[in-house]
Amino acid sequence: MQKMGTEDGKGAYPEHGHHQHRHSDTDIIGADRTTYSGPLSGPLNKRGGRKSARFNLPDSAGGSAGGDDDQAYVEITLDVRDDSVAVHSVKAAGGGEIEDPELTLLAKGLEKRSSFRASAVVRNASSRIKQVSQELKRFASFSKKPNQAGRFDRNKSAAAHALKGLKFISKTDGGAGWAAVEKRFDDLTAGVPGGGLLPRSLFGECIGMNKDSQEFAGELFDALSRRRNIPGDSITKSQLREFWDQISDQSFDSRLQTFFDMVDKDADGRITEDEVREIITLSASANKLSNIQKQADEYAALIMEELDPENQGYIMIENLEMLLLQAPSHSTRGESRNLSQLLSQKLKPMLELNPIRRCYGNFKYFLLDNWERVWVMVLWIGVMLGLFAWKFVQYRNRAAYDVMGHCVCMAKGAAETLKLNMALILLPVCRNTITWLRNKTKLGAAVPFDDNLNFHKVIAVAIAIGVGIHGIYHLACDFPRLIEASPEKYEPMEQYFGQQASSYWHFVKSFEGISGIIMVVLMAIAFTLASPWFRRNRIELPKPFKNLTGFNAFWYSHHLFVIVYSLLIAHGIKLYLTHEWYKKTTWMYLAVPITLYACERLIRAFRSSIEPVQILKVAVYPGNVLALHMSKPQGFKYKSGQYMFVNCAAVSPFEWHPFSITSAPGDDYLSVHIRTLGDWTRQLKTVFSEVCQPPPNGKSGLLRADRMQGEDNPNLPRVLIDGPYGAPAQDYKKYDVVLLVGLGIGATPMISIVKDIVNNMKALEEEEGALESGNRENALTNSPTSSTITPNRRKSGSGTGGSNFKTRRAYFYWVTREQGSFDWFKGIMNEVAELDNKGVIEMHNYCTSVYEEGDARSALIAMLQSLNHAKNGVDIVSGTRVKSHFAKPNWRNVYKRIALNHTDSRIGVFYCGAPALTKELRALALDFSHKTSTKFDFHKENF
């Protein structure tokens, strides 16, 4: 304790000090206590503070001027800040408490910074404190010391965090919220026997909790009932109002007491280890954290060890308060000030009043963001319009126009665009060609290769429109006009159609008619089964038609194109109105694309069958994920972010499915992680599960099969691979900073990138070290005493890093619904956390099954997370060294923080996952690119 002053109240400089543990409602954590002296008496609030002052007790206040020195002083503990002083406690110098109702009132008034309307003694005490406060502040400026770890205080920031962590309902808006609760009470009790009584089973629904929290709501009901000695399992509306008032109370003490009551089942004011274990199990169940449920005993012991160091066998509400008043577990790393500045910017578009300028601005941004797509689409549409116009004009000047009119012009114009599009639609799926163009040429700067499948779909729509126009004008217009034409008018057509037909069936049964109808039917089947509703099993069909949905139906129906192209070429040869071979141009359009695509398929078959890969390891993980580790074929070179096709003859000898490569290029093996989403992946998991066994201790996975060195397991299914193929994520090396976002199994390409970044950083460090060593050798060799010169041994661009590796910072966000999903890449994440010594990669795991940070249902999970990570360095949710967050990320804040940290930079945003999030991430990338100096380039994985 540092002391100032003497019995007459005159100040002196501090001599020595010590620390005391207190709980405080104020804003300083872990600061020092300092004692001063001055004439003031009486007790103030008992709760914590950081500065103590010792004052002489004046006679008017009932103190003794003479006698024991300790009796002549009171010790006042104050919290000193830049803008305020708050009273913590008042004690006699000897350590005893002083009771004085008037000064207790003063303490409360000081803490609330309210005006004082009390007795003369109180006003006198207030003025004395004000006189001392400036000296306290001055002394605090040079007496403050760094906060000490492990100290908990009821200060503003900690109490605010604790309040946020004990929210029992989503909206604690008191009376306004009660109106909705009252309405639900009336609705729920209307059909319940007993008249106006709400049963325990409906309590959660009544106060707005979801069905998954029914068990938690029941425990909350029991706690509130115990507090009020309400027997039975039903309550009236007035009792519900009392419950609501307590759970919607904003005060920390009220929420803390409610939470304590939930844990304290026997209401004895003490929490035993069994009760802690029970509430852990309940919280884990509410948040769907099965692994925590299994380890409830271990985590209960951890809490008791932390809060009951003396092994009394129980903890009190004060101990629970200490745990809750810890600082937030996820630090902002000193960025809060900059972040708050950016948060104050609404980033809302300023409304341009002039509509012309507004349209111009929108158009300009659209072109800047999409110029690669725009020029490709403009060129394509321009070519189609040119071909259509050319054929239209051509037939406008032929004799057929006199009989069939504009119908023949429209049909032939549409047919010409169909030839073009049936040729073009093959090019976006020539994956080897696109990969070569992406890797070996600079066309990627102007051609959006990432949109190859989107362009494939757009062309398919154009084909459907062309088929519709061509078929409708022929069937509904041309043929009826030929039948109804007069003999004189029909005579010029006789050389093309023969004798005039008398029935419509004449044209339908011809080869042209039959081949056209068959092509339309086959294309309709392929288009329908390729739609998202069928391909992704979003539509429920009766059992006999169940096989028409899923990837298998899509894959097989798409191979009907072989028949369609054969009929198309024949259809183009057997034309009515064209007899010269060089004018039958269908085969000319199709020759190059079909040849290129056929070569692609031959390369795939040849490349995959040369050397089947050997399965090195198989693991079946929670969440229906199969991990395959296999040998890397000689000459198989790939980049992180790329994918390959996998074939398993035990499932289907014909089907090939694409999967992102999860190993890094520097690894001596290949790995893929396959989630069971359809019939093929389900069968693949089944055939591999049959040869797996439960893993030994220390190994991950539900089932596992490892190939021992030099041994082969004949029971493992044979696997073929084809690839690698280019993907958007492979371009991450072009950016200094990257944001990697994976949703569920969409984390697979990002995991490979994360590993590759670490490997590249290590390689660059080794190169720099070798360069420095080489320079030192050169310096010695080139010294005046040496007659030879040793050249620098480092080659430009050598090593793993190479000159094309620019990435210096990476943010990885993995969002998944299930706790078990973290097992998929547990080893990789731990490896990265261990090797990333410079903090290049910032990893964030989000488990959306856990209620958001701030919800009482996840409060205990958050406490356990902090305790276990501090003690063991392992996160209880993910089981890795990477701390997990709860619920979903706030993507706008993610972009804001990156924009703040990397001003005037270009950020590569790479996303793989469900399409639902694509729109939001792309919109945010555009928004921040337009309104900040940081530019975000968004890339989406497409298969």
Side-chain angles (χ1 to χ4, degrees):
M1 179 76 70
Q2 293 183 351
K3 297 182 180 180
M4 289 187 65
T6 57
E7 289 184 2
D8 60 1
K10 294 180 181 178
Y13 289 102
E15 298 173 358
H16 60 278
H18 74 271
H19 300 286
Q20 296 181 4
H21 288 273
R22 290 281 180 182
H23 298 294
S24 171
D25 281 317
T26 53
D27 206 21
I28 303 296
I29 305 178
D32 297 328
R33 278 213 183 123
T34 308
T35 301
Y36 296 85
S37 63
L40 183 65
S41 66
L44 296 179
N45 194 343
K46 207 173 148 176
R47 297 214 172 196
R50 284 298 176 264
K51 302 295 177 187
S52 298
R54 197 176 253 193
F55 295 97
N56 197 321
L57 280 166
D59 291 338
S60 61
S64 175
D68 193 330
D69 182 64
D70 283 340
Q71 294 292 333
Y73 287 89
V74 290
E75 181 181 307
I76 303 177
T77 304
L78 305 174
D79 276 343
V80 181
R81 293 172 190 75
D82 294 336
D83 60 347
S84 65
V85 176
V87 179
H88 177 281
S89 65
V90 177
K91 288 185 177 181
E97 297 288 345
I98 301 175
E99 297 297 335
D100 187 317
E102 291 185 313
L103 285 176
T104 301
L105 176 64
L106 169 62
K108 295 180 179 178
L110 283 171
E111 288 179 342
K112 297 179 180 178
R113 299 181 186 178
S114 59
S115 61
F116 306 107
R117 282 182 275 183
S119 64
V121 176
V122 176
R123 287 196 296 271
N124 181 55
S126 176
S127 65
R128 296 297 181 92
I129 288 177
K130 289 179 181 178
Q131 292 173 9
V132 176
S133 65
Q134 294 300 322
E135 179 65 19
L136 290 175
K137 291 180 183 179
R138 185 187 68 79
F139 180 76
S141 67
F142 60 80
S143 65
K144 290 180 181 178
K145 296 181 180 179
N147 295 341
Q148 298 181 10
R151 301 289 300 275
F152 308 109
D153 269 308
R154 294 195 70 177
N155 55 75
K156 288 180 181 177
S157 60
H161 170 67
L163 273 171
K164 184 180 177 183
L166 279 178
K167 189 165 58 175
F168 289 93
I169 49 178
S170 59
K171 292 184 179 180
T172 53
D173 47 4
W178 168 249
V181 173
E182 186 176 25
K183 183 178 184 304
R184 284 195 291 268
F185 177 90
D186 295 335
D187 294 339
L188 292 172
T189 58
V192 177
L197 291 177
L198 180 73
R200 178 182 184 273
S201 59
L202 297 177
F203 176 70
E205 183 180 354
C206 187
I207 64 173
M209 287 187 176
N210 57 35
K211 294 182 179 179
D212 293 334
S213 304
Q214 186 173 356
E215 189 175 356
F216 185 91
E219 293 296 335
L220 178 59
F221 178 94
D222 294 341
L224 296 170
S225 298
R226 280 196 301 270
R227 170 64 58 175
R228 292 162 178 78
N229 295 319
I230 299 176
D233 289 339
S234 299
I235 56 174
T236 64
K237 184 184 291 188
S238 61
Q239 291 170 332
L240 176 64
R241 180 59 191 261
E242 291 181 26
F243 286 12
W244 175 259
D245 288 341
Q246 181 170 339
I247 62 178
S248 63
D249 193 332
Q250 296 284 354
S251 69
F252 173 69
D253 286 325
S254 176
R255 293 188 183 182
L256 175 64
Q257 187 64 58
T258 303
F259 189 76
F260 185 87
D261 291 342
M262 285 187 65
V263 186
D264 184 19
K265 296 296 184 66
D266 54 9
D268 61 353
R270 299 175 178 182
I271 300 177
T272 64
E273 186 169 345
D274 289 338
E275 290 173 327
V276 172
R277 184 184 305 108
E278 189 173 345
I279 197 66
I280 289 175
T281 303
L282 178 66
S283 297
S285 175
N287 292 278
K288 301 178 182 177
L289 300 175
S290 56
N291 291 348
I292 294 180
Q293 284 182 276
K294 297 174 184 176
Q295 297 175 276
D297 291 341
E298 175 186 341
Y299 293 134
L302 177 65
I303 289 182
M304 297 303 293
E305 178 185 346
E306 178 71 18
L307 301 184
D308 182 27
E310 299 178 0
N311 295 321
Q312 295 177 341
Y314 60 85
I315 58 178
M316 305 294 289
I317 192 169
E318 292 82 6
N319 306 120
L320 188 62
E321 175 187 2
M322 181 182 295
L323 188 61
L324 283 167
L325 286 171
Q326 293 182 82
S329 58
H330 299 288
S331 171
T332 58
R333 299 186 181 181
E335 298 162 355
S336 58
R337 178 172 297 182
N338 288 336
L339 183 58
S340 65
Q341 292 175 359
L342 191 58
L343 284 170
S344 64
Q345 302 174 14
K346 299 301 183 182
L347 288 171
K348 292 182 179 179
M350 295 183 65
L351 182 62
E352 175 61 57
L353 298 178
N354 189 321
I356 297 177
R357 289 183 179 179
R358 184 166 65 248
C359 293
Y360 170 75
N362 293 337
F363 181 69
K364 180 182 71 173
Y365 282 131
F366 176 80
L367 288 181
L368 288 174
D369 297 331
N370 301 280
W371 67 270
E372 300 101 327
R373 299 181 182 92
V374 168
W375 82 260
V376 171
M377 292 296 294
V378 168
L379 177 63
W380 173 59
I381 293 173
V383 171
M384 283 197 301
L385 291 176
L387 290 174
F388 185 91
W390 171 55
K391 277 297 176 182
F392 190 96
V393 173
Q394 185 183 78
Y395 276 85
R396 176 71 176 76
N397 297 320
R398 292 186 61 175
Y401 182 80
D402 297 331
V403 179
M404 293 176 277
H406 72 280
C407 298
V408 69
C409 299
M410 292 292 293
K412 289 299 181 179
E416 204 67 20
T417 65
L418 275 173
K419 298 175 189 177
L420 172 70
N421 289 326
M422 289 296 288
L424 289 179
I425 199 169
L426 293 175
L427 299 181
V429 290
C430 291
R431 291 183 171 87
N432 285 300
T433 303
I434 291 177
T435 301
W436 183 85
L437 292 173
R438 182 198 291 271
N439 295 338
K440 303 298 183 181
T441 71
K442 295 185 178 181
L443 286 176
V447 179
F449 290 121
D450 294 349
D451 291 319
N452 62 321
L453 292 184
N454 291 331
F455 190 46
H456 178 80
K457 296 172 185 176
V458 170
I459 295 173
V461 173
I463 289 174
I465 295 173
V467 168
I469 295 174
H470 181 74
I472 290 172
Y473 274 95
H474 267 331
L475 296 173
C477 187
D478 289 336
F479 295 164
R481 290 192 178 190
L482 287 171
I483 295 172
E484 296 169 0
S486 62
E488 297 80 11
K489 198 173 184 179
Y490 180 80
E491 185 176 355
M493 297 294 99
E494 194 167 337
Q495 59 178 317
Y496 303 114
F497 297 97
Q499 293 184 354
Q500 186 173 11
S502 57
S503 69
Y504 193 80
W505 180 248
H506 171 81
F507 296 103
V508 174
K509 70 179 182 180
S510 65
F511 177 82
E512 293 87 342
I514 293 174
S515 60
I517 291 173
I518 292 176
M519 283 191 291
V520 170
V521 172
L522 294 181
M523 283 193 285
I525 294 172
F527 287 8
T528 301
L529 298 184
S531 65
W533 299 280
F534 283 85
R535 183 182 178 183
R536 299 186 182 276
N537 288 308
R538 294 178 183 171
I539 188 172
E540 288 292 332
L541 295 178
K543 194 171 183 179
F545 303 100
K546 192 69 176 177
N547 290 334
L548 293 179
T549 60
F551 188 86
N552 277 358
F554 155 78
W555 193 87
Y556 284 114
S557 65
H558 247 56
H559 282 74
L560 294 173
F561 79 93
V562 176
I563 302 173
V564 171
Y565 276 96
S566 300
L567 291 174
L568 179 61
I569 294 173
H571 187 85
I573 293 174
K574 303 284 289 184
L575 293 176
Y576 280 119
L577 296 173
T578 303
H579 291 163
E580 298 85 351
W581 70 269
Y582 56 88
K583 291 184 179 180
K584 299 178 178 181
T585 57
T586 302
W587 66 273
M588 300 179 188
Y589 279 97
L590 300 178
V592 173
I594 288 180
T595 302
L596 181 62
Y597 185 79
C599 291
E600 289 257 343
R601 298 300 293 261
L602 289 174
I603 291 173
R604 175 186 294 183
F606 180 73
R607 182 170 55 191
S608 61
S609 61
I610 291 179
E611 185 180 356
V613 295
Q614 289 184 328
I615 301 297
L616 304 177
K617 184 179 77 173
V618 180
V620 179
Y621 291 108
N624 290 320
V625 167
L626 172 70
L628 299 178
H629 289 238
M630 59 198 80
S631 60
K632 183 192 293 186
Q634 187 175 4
F636 190 96
K637 297 180 180 180
Y638 66 97
K639 299 179 181 180
S640 288
Q642 292 186 332
Y643 66 96
M644 64 183 183
F645 280 82
V646 176
N647 170 271
C648 181
V651 178
S652 172
F654 306 110
E655 294 184 49
W656 293 80
H657 293 259
F659 300 101
S660 295
I661 303 173
T662 52
S663 53
D667 295 334
D668 58 358
Y669 63 90
L670 289 174
S671 67
V672 291
H673 286 67
I674 302 170
R675 184 162 194 178
T676 302
L677 294 174
D679 37 16
W680 187 87
T681 52
R682 191 178 301 110
Q683 294 174 42
L684 184 72
K685 179 193 168 189
T686 300
V687 298
F688 275 100
S689 297
E690 291 173 354
V691 297
C692 292
Q693 300 293 331
N697 292 334
K699 297 288 187 178
S700 61
L702 301 175
L703 296 171
R704 195 178 179 96
D706 292 271
R707 179 177 178 269
M708 305 302 293
Q709 188 70 26
E711 297 181 5
D712 194 8
N713 187 346
N715 296 321
L716 287 173
R718 183 170 178 264
V719 169
L720 302 177
I721 63 171
D722 174 51
Y725 292 103
Q730 75 176 59
D731 295 329
Y732 83 92
K733 290 184 180 180
K734 298 178 181 178
Y735 298 93
D736 292 325
V737 182
V738 294
L739 170 60
L740 310 173
V741 181
L743 212 63
I745 198 63
T748 47
M750 312 309 168
I751 288 292
S752 177
I753 292 174
V754 165
K755 290 180 65 178
D756 194 39
I757 291 174
V758 174
N759 292 342
N760 275 288
M761 294 302 296
K762 288 173 59 180
L764 289 174
E765 290 177 7
E766 291 173 1
E767 287 182 6
E768 291 170 1
L771 180 59
E772 291 176 1
S773 177
N775 287 339
R776 285 195 295 270
E777 290 178 9
N778 285 342
L780 293 173
T781 307
N782 295 332
S783 64
T785 59
S786 176
S787 60
T788 59
I789 299 177
T790 303
N792 189 341
R793 291 184 229 175
R794 182 179 183 269
K795 296 181 180 179
S796 176
S798 64
T800 308
S803 59
N804 65 335
F805 180 72
K806 296 176 60 179
T807 307
R808 296 295 178 270
R809 191 79 166 105
Y811 298 87
F812 174 42
Y813 284 79
W814 183 17
V815 185
T816 183
R817 286 194 301 261
E818 303 166 354
Q819 182 187 16
S821 302
F822 295 113
D823 287 348
W824 307 344
F825 308 116
K826 181 185 294 185
I828 297 173
M829 286 190 288
N830 285 332
E831 180 184 358
V832 172
E834 181 179 351
L835 296 177
D836 185 21
N837 298 322
K838 292 187 176 181
V840 175
I841 303 170
E842 185 177 303
M843 295 191 289
H844 298 270
N845 294 334
Y846 279 82
C847 186
T848 58
S849 69
V850 184
Y851 289 96
E852 64 180 349
E853 296 176 23
D855 196 298
R857 286 165 287 189
S858 61
L860 195 63
I861 304 300
M863 298 179 211
L864 282 172
Q865 185 185 49
S866 298
L867 287 176
N868 197 67
H869 202 275
K871 182 178 180 180
N872 303 316
V874 177
D875 180 69
I876 63 169
V877 177
S878 66
T880 69
R881 295 173 60 183
V882 181
K883 257 191 171 181
S884 299
H885 304 266
F886 303 158
K888 298 178 181 179
N890 185 323
W891 294 113
R892 177 167 286 274
N893 286 344
V894 170
Y895 274 85
K896 284 177 183 176
R897 193 163 68 89
I898 294 175
L900 275 175
N901 294 340
H902 307 282
T903 55
D904 301 315
S905 300
R906 184 166 290 277
I907 314 296
V909 182
F910 298 92
Y911 170 66
C912 183
L917 190 56
T918 304
K919 185 177 180 181
E920 181 182 358
L921 293 179
R922 179 181 283 118
L924 287 171
L926 296 177
D927 195 28
F928 279 85
S929 296
H930 297 164
K931 297 165 189 173
T932 68
S933 62
T934 307
K935 307 304 176 187
F936 292 86
D937 295 338
F938 181 79
H939 305 270
K940 163 78 166 62
E941 291 289 322
N942 295 302
F943 288 113

